[in-house]
Amino acid sequence: MTRQIDILVSGGGIAGLSAAAALGARGFSVLCVDPAPPVREMAETGADLRSTAFLQPARALLDEAGLWERLAPHATPLQVMRIVEAGRGAPVIRDFDAADLGPLPFGWNLPNWLLRREMAARIEEMERVEFRAGTGFAGLTRREDRALVRLTDNSSVAAKLVIAADGRASPVREACGIGLRTRRYGQKALAFAVTHEKPHENVSIEVHRSGGPFTLVPLPDHEGRPSSAVIWMEPGREIARLAALPVSDFDIEATARSERVLGRLHLVTGRQAWPIIMQTARALTAQRVALVAEAAHVMPPIGAQGLNTSLADIACLVDLAAARPEGLGDRAMLDTYAERRAGDIALREHGIDALNRLAMAGGPLAQGLRGLGLGVMHDVAPLRRGLMRLGLGKGR
């Protein structure tokens, strides 16, 4: 028999679980499916070793979904963003402090594997929400009033709305025939976690030289030592070399690339590499289907914009669904969603693309321009505050 539900969420990553919890908290019946088995510990095979920085606006969505209460004890506040231009000569260093904008930090950082564990635990408490790990999307038939969705466990559901939160290779997007625009940079990113000699003091640090930024984001202490998550962006061939180094050699190279801003670094997790692209779906919706997160847009990991743009997608859908539940998934709702999100997504994509191209550039001219630009952006107070608000999603 075909099960009748309000919403089917394809994808059990951070975005998909957030959407399921947020919509379930508004009273909708939700089934979230993901073909991968759940990973609940950092050491398990398949654990996502990246971290996510939830910026201020995301906290409201997490609060409403009943998620923040579970996440807060594990969250590390991000009070200061320090940018280091480490070209030739003396480095240019500027601190962007959240205190300029108010009492809250810019955001809070958590490991991705822990996020998925805690979000899945929250969903287990919710009567009208189910997370079915190990089951994926197999196909759909869209009709005027609902979508009939086939799942890989041979079951089927009829949903008023299907949310594609199933990643950059989204099978739901493909089933809807929605094309992509893709920009490749020849870069890859390496994600891992380290301990270090100096405390991070809740300061997130981006070190720029060439090839891409080296970013350290605060984490809770690891076995009594200060710890940070790292995203290291370089040309693909260099990332392959770094990923294959013995730990002792890798520690030396990572410490040198960090400019020793936190002293010596020591690798405490595995290393995960993935290609850096800019990818945009040519449409955000299809009949009875909404695309969110990486199914809709993929950005280089700069400024914590990717996942926070994804949560803005979800917050928009939640608001529209709650405002007119009788129109859940209809053309009017989906047209409004696409209209509201397209401009913000495009703005962030253009900004991240420009920043990444500038960060990749080598040579004295590019380094000098980055240092000059960093000084102007920080030292002109109205510009500094405006850029910080923009980064938080609070302005244009």
Side-chain angles (χ1 to χ4, degrees):
M1 294 181 64
T2 298
R3 177 181 170 188
Q4 306 288 324
I5 59 172
D6 293 325
I7 300 163
L8 184 284
V9 179
S10 176
I14 295 168
L17 294 175
S18 297
L23 287 158
R26 294 297 187 105
F28 296 101
S29 58
V30 185
L31 172 62
C32 179
V33 297
D34 191 288
V39 177
R40 300 180 183 272
E41 298 297 335
M42 183 175 68
E44 288 185 35
T45 301
D48 186 344
L49 301 180
R50 294 172 293 175
S51 68
T52 292
F54 290 105
L55 300 179
Q56 285 180 20
R59 181 169 166 177
L61 177 70
L62 299 174
D63 263 329
E64 291 176 5
L67 291 167
W68 184 246
E69 182 180 0
R70 299 190 68 96
L71 299 177
H74 308 284
T76 303
L78 305 177
Q79 183 63 36
V80 173
M81 169 73 77
R82 178 171 297 152
I83 301 180
V84 180
E85 173 49 49
R88 297 181 181 178
V92 179
I93 303 173
R94 293 292 188 276
D95 283 0
F96 295 79
D97 194 331
D100 274 2
L101 301 181
L104 292 177
F106 287 121
W108 300 265
N109 196 51
L110 295 104
N112 283 10
W113 62 267
L114 185 144
L115 282 167
R116 293 189 69 182
R117 183 189 75 190
E118 295 301 317
M119 289 179 168
R122 163 60 180 153
I123 285 174
E124 288 177 3
E125 302 170 347
M126 304 179 75
E127 291 184 4
R128 307 201 70 199
V129 185
E130 178 188 353
F131 175 38
R132 196 180 299 173
T135 297
F137 169 89
L140 85 167
T141 302
R142 290 173 286 134
R143 296 180 178 173
E144 185 64 31
D145 62 338
R146 59 183 174 169
L148 303 177
V149 182
R150 300 182 302 281
L151 302 175
T152 56
D153 63 358
N154 295 319
S155 67
S156 61
V157 297
K160 297 176 184 177
L161 173 65
V162 175
I163 297 177
D166 44 6
R168 59 182 67 187
S170 168
V172 173
R173 184 189 62 225
E174 185 174 338
C176 294
I178 297 174
L180 296 168
R181 294 186 295 270
T182 303
R183 184 175 302 159
R184 302 185 186 280
Y185 299 93
Q187 289 170 298
K188 287 190 175 181
L190 198 63
F192 53 96
V194 296
T195 55
H196 36 80
E197 293 179 305
K198 302 176 185 177
H200 51 59
E201 297 178 335
N202 296 334
V203 176
S204 178
I205 307 172
E206 281 190 11
V207 183
H208 294 261
R209 197 164 66 193
S210 64
F214 183 100
T215 305
L216 296 123
V217 187
L219 288 174
D221 287 357
H222 177 78
E223 297 180 352
R225 295 180 60 83
S227 180
S228 293
V230 180
I231 298 293
W232 188 351
M233 293 167 60
E234 294 283 358
R237 188 171 296 177
E238 174 66 0
I239 289 294
R241 183 188 72 83
L242 292 166
L245 287 175
V247 171
S248 57
D249 293 341
F250 184 80
D251 287 351
I252 293 170
E253 296 220 21
T255 298
R257 181 60 182 84
S258 74
E259 299 292 321
R260 301 184 69 92
V261 291
L262 294 175
R264 286 178 295 180
L265 307 184
H266 174 59
L267 182 69
V268 294
T269 65
R271 288 162 275 184
Q272 290 180 332
W274 77 95
I276 299 301
I277 61 172
M278 183 78 75
Q279 179 176 286
T280 311
R282 293 186 179 274
L284 292 176
T285 64
Q287 187 180 44
R288 292 288 161 181
V289 175
L291 274 57
V292 303
E294 289 200 340
H297 45 76
V298 178
M299 306 176 195
I302 295 175
Q305 293 303 300
L307 194 277
N308 286 277
T309 304
S310 303
L311 294 180
D313 299 339
I314 293 163
C316 181
L317 279 178
V318 171
D319 288 345
L320 291 171
R324 200 169 61 87
E326 70 279 4
L328 180 68
D330 68 11
R331 179 175 298 180
M333 175 187 170
L334 294 175
D335 286 350
T336 302
Y337 168 70
E339 180 182 352
R340 290 186 182 178
R341 293 301 304 141
D344 182 60
I345 292 167
L347 175 69
R348 297 187 186 286
E349 287 179 335
H350 289 314
I352 292 299
D353 176 66
L355 287 171
N356 190 40
R357 290 180 184 277
L358 185 59
M360 289 172 64
L365 178 59
Q367 291 167 351
L369 286 172
R370 287 198 299 262
L372 178 63
L374 174 59
V376 171
M377 287 189 297
H378 177 273
D379 298 345
V380 179
L383 178 60
R384 179 179 71 247
R385 289 191 289 269
L387 288 169
M388 290 193 293
R389 283 193 291 270
L390 178 63
L392 292 175
K394 294 184 173 182
R396 289 184 177 272

